[in-house]
Amino acid sequence: MREARRHRPLPLAARARGRAWATLTLNADELGEDELVARVRQHTGRGSDVVHDCTGVPQTFATSLRIVRPGGVVVEAGAFVDLGPIEVNPNRDICTTNVTIIGVGGETATSYAPAMELLARNRMRLSLDSIVTHRMPLEEASEAIGLAQRNGTMKVVLDPAA
């Protein structure tokens, strides 16, 4: 029984809803890009302050640029391999909206510094543990990597104490 509970996905949206860091949760699998943008704009009135894209899906970067508010920040931390080009208009999507983009390539430990600093500055108002959908012991690292590639998995934590 304990084994089954350890690997069961945790209900991210239910835990996020109502917290200071998530006043709206949307399922991107159920909505088109235009509908996602419209709902975020309707809810916030101007767009999100910070969009942290860790999906690894190229098109979500373009969507992030449409969802972020003017002067906001987009953190792209999911593009670890080249999955091809997307259409972005630098003038329309970045310059005229004064959006800051922080890319995390993952090549070296220092690559993560800008995103980690942004998270650290906001740690008091963000419940970052809530994005963990699976927690597994270190001995199951190979299985955890496979699990991290599946739909429905947000973040997998390898916990030596588990």
Side-chain angles (χ1 to χ4, degrees):
M1 185 73 153
R2 180 171 184 227
E3 193 73 20
R5 276 198 305 263
R6 181 186 310 140
H7 300 286
R8 189 181 71 226
L10 306 173
L12 175 65
R15 289 180 298 142
R17 198 174 292 118
R19 299 207 183 206
W21 62 275
T23 58
L24 175 69
T25 57
L26 301 170
N27 186 339
D29 289 334
E30 297 173 358
L31 303 170
E33 181 181 352
D34 290 338
E35 181 68 14
L36 283 170
V37 173
R39 289 199 188 180
V40 169
R41 298 260 177 214
Q42 179 183 18
H43 184 75
T44 63
R46 62 183 185 159
S48 296
D49 293 331
V50 177
V51 177
H52 198 122
D53 181 12
C54 345
T55 64
V57 178
Q59 186 53 40
T60 58
F61 177 70
T63 304
S64 297
L65 292 172
R66 292 183 61 203
I67 289 174
V68 71
R69 71 166 172 78
V73 177
V74 173
V75 178
E76 175 55 53
F80 290 105
V81 296
D82 186 353
L83 294 174
I86 59 166
E87 184 175 327
V88 172
N89 179 322
N91 177 268
R92 179 194 65 217
D93 299 331
I94 302 167
C95 297
T96 61
T97 56
N98 198 29
V99 171
T100 299
I101 299 170
I102 299 174
V104 179
E107 292 82 15
T108 65
T110 57
S111 300
Y112 291 93
M116 296 303 289
E117 290 168 7
L118 181 65
L119 290 171
R121 282 195 306 271
N122 292 284
R123 73 181 178 278
M124 299 309 289
R125 65 184 191 93
L126 300 175
S127 179
L128 298 175
D129 286 338
S130 296
I131 66 172
V132 175
T133 55
H134 299 79
R135 188 174 298 274
M136 300 171 70
L138 194 55
E139 297 78 27
E140 296 178 21
S142 181
E143 183 181 344
I145 291 170
L147 182 62
Q149 303 303 312
R150 293 189 206 147
N151 283 339
T153 301
M154 183 71 139
K155 293 295 169 197
V156 178
V157 170
L158 291 173
D159 185 352

